[in-house]
Amino acid sequence: ALASVLMQTQVFFTTLLGLMFLRERLTAPMVAGLVLASAGLACFALGFLGGPAAQGAATGAGLLLNLLAAAMWALSNIVARRAQMAQPGFDAVQYVVWMSLVPLAPFAALAWWTEPAATRWQWLHASAGAWASVAYLGWLATVAAYGAWTWLLKRHPAGRIAPFSLGVPVIGLAAGTLLMGETITHLQWLGSACVVLALAVVVVLPGLRAALRQRAA
């Protein structure tokens, strides 16, 4: 749970990288959304770190790796935007499929290095449910989801699309409550409210302001 929260720091990395490399402007709604999102993530982090179940569950190396992963996600957002600038008509799904080939070699090497020899070939005896999970993660959670994400990045500034990922902790908490019987603390409810409000500010507020300007004109 803490990992899913830390991964959302990619929003801040994406916004900063967008300012540096894409010359995107930081609008008032985006600033307000980032402030609200920071408050929400702080609530999540405090809830997880302060709970008795979380004691000793996180390590310094784990936290650092999560932050580095968030930075890499942000960097991939910038690459997608630069690809759009260089080749406006590129296919988002093909882009994700070819990009998915890149981690195969390092992941296989890491698995071979870190996993016990006795477990290396257990995948040959995996159940149908396990293969269905792999298919879901590969086709839906990776190709379809990241294809849609890249499609959005082709059409909108990276700093405006990145906040949509802040819904991940909220959805994760809701799924844990409904499907796994987990309980949500007051801090987590407060964090969820801040995240949803941040999304509303970033996505809805600019449209409302534009509509009010047109009506005034």
Side-chain angles (χ1 to χ4, degrees):
L2 179 58
S4 69
V5 174
L6 289 174
M7 280 298 294
Q8 305 320 307
T9 56
Q10 66 86 17
V11 174
F12 310 110
F13 288 121
T14 298
T15 301
L16 293 174
L17 291 174
L19 291 171
M20 294 169 58
F21 296 111
L22 302 178
R23 298 181 180 179
E24 294 181 352
R25 293 190 305 167
L26 196 60
T27 63
M30 289 173 62
V31 172
L34 287 173
V35 171
L36 287 168
S38 299
L41 292 175
C43 290
F44 283 128
L46 288 173
F48 288 124
L49 291 174
Q55 296 297 330
T59 65
L63 295 174
L64 178 61
L65 287 172
N66 269 273
L67 291 174
L68 288 174
M72 292 300 100
W73 184 0
L75 188 59
S76 72
N77 292 337
I78 302 303
V79 170
R81 287 293 295 167
R82 293 296 293 267
Q84 163 64 14
M85 295 176 182
Q87 189 70 33
F90 82 95
D91 188 281
V93 175
Q94 291 181 9
Y95 171 85
V96 172
V97 170
W98 284 106
M99 184 177 62
S100 297
L101 295 176
V102 176
L104 290 180
F107 275 15
L110 284 171
W112 190 267
W113 178 42
T114 59
E115 294 182 0
T119 65
R120 291 174 183 169
W121 302 103
Q122 287 184 352
W123 61 273
L124 293 173
H125 309 288
S127 65
W131 283 113
S133 299
V134 171
Y136 166 78
L137 291 172
W139 290 101
L140 293 180
T142 300
V143 175
Y146 280 104
W149 180 265
T150 304
W151 182 84
L152 288 171
L153 285 170
K154 286 176 58 179
R155 288 158 175 77
H156 304 282
R160 185 170 184 183
I161 297 304
F164 278 100
S165 70
L166 290 168
V168 171
V170 179
I171 295 173
L173 288 171
T177 301
L178 297 174
L179 302 177
M180 303 181 68
E182 296 179 353
T183 58
I184 300 180
T185 66
H186 295 299
L187 271 176
Q188 291 168 346
W189 279 120
L190 181 59
S192 300
C194 289
V195 167
V196 171
L197 187 57
L199 288 172
V201 167
V202 173
V203 177
V204 178
L205 188 58
L208 289 176
R209 293 174 63 183
L212 289 176
R213 279 199 217 98
Q214 288 180 353
R215 186 171 296 180

